[in-house]
Amino acid sequence: QVQLVESGGGSVQSGGSLRLSCAASGDIYSMSYMGWFRQAPGKEREGVATIDSIGSRGYADSVKGRFTISQDKAKNTLYLQMNSLKSEDTAMYYCAADRIWWWLSANYTYWGQGTQVTVSS
């Protein structure tokens, strides 16, 4: 079992920045692939960014150049640095983990509870 706990969400004005964190515990050493997802009210969950154990990354086109995914293995923590935030980035943000790289597809096995990001224009 793997436990994921997100933090760092909040309210920010358009153009601002936030850094999300996802603390992992449990059988994390077998989880080679992690990702950040978001879901706005009335919309499907969408992949935002993903990373593998050696640091290869992938991003949704909507966040390329603005968001950066990273990990600190010593702290068992995944991060999402979000810059130049827009109102359309408003959503609940989730981290996810799995032994299979689902890329930006929401097929990951383990999920956190989410952290809310609200961007006001």
Side-chain angles (χ1 to χ4, degrees), residues 2-121:
V2 173
Q3 293 78 44
L4 303 171
V5 180
E6 302 95 334
S7 62
S11 297
V12 64
Q13 290 191 332
S14 180
S17 299
L18 282 173
R19 187 176 80 155
L20 306 183
S21 299
C22 172
S25 60
D27 187 21
I28 59 173
Y29 297 103
S30 62
M31 298 293 113
S32 299
Y33 309 102
M34 299 189 74
W36 284 100
F37 292 76
R38 66 186 180 187
Q39 188 168 20
K43 294 187 177 181
E44 291 188 357
R45 190 168 298 189
E46 63 171 344
V48 174
T50 184
I51 191 168
D52 73 0
S53 59
I54 60 172
S56 298
R57 297 168 172 84
Y59 295 94
D61 288 343
S62 58
V63 306
K64 280 181 181 176
R66 299 189 298 123
F67 291 11
T68 302
I69 188 171
S70 63
Q71 56 190 354
D72 185 331
K73 293 184 178 180
K75 295 182 178 180
N76 296 327
T77 302
L78 181 73
Y79 301 101
L80 184 68
Q81 178 66 43
M82 306 186 293
N83 299 327
S84 302
L85 283 162
K86 306 175 182 179
S87 57
E88 50 263 45
D89 295 319
T90 295
M92 184 72 77
Y93 282 71
Y94 301 89
C95 68
D98 208 323
R99 297 178 179 86
I100 300 171
W101 203 354
W102 297 103
W103 197 244
L104 296 175
S105 174
N107 290 327
Y108 289 74
T109 300
Y110 299 100
W111 293 85
Q113 83 291 344
T115 185
Q116 178 68 37
V117 172
T118 303
V119 184
S120 58
S121 57

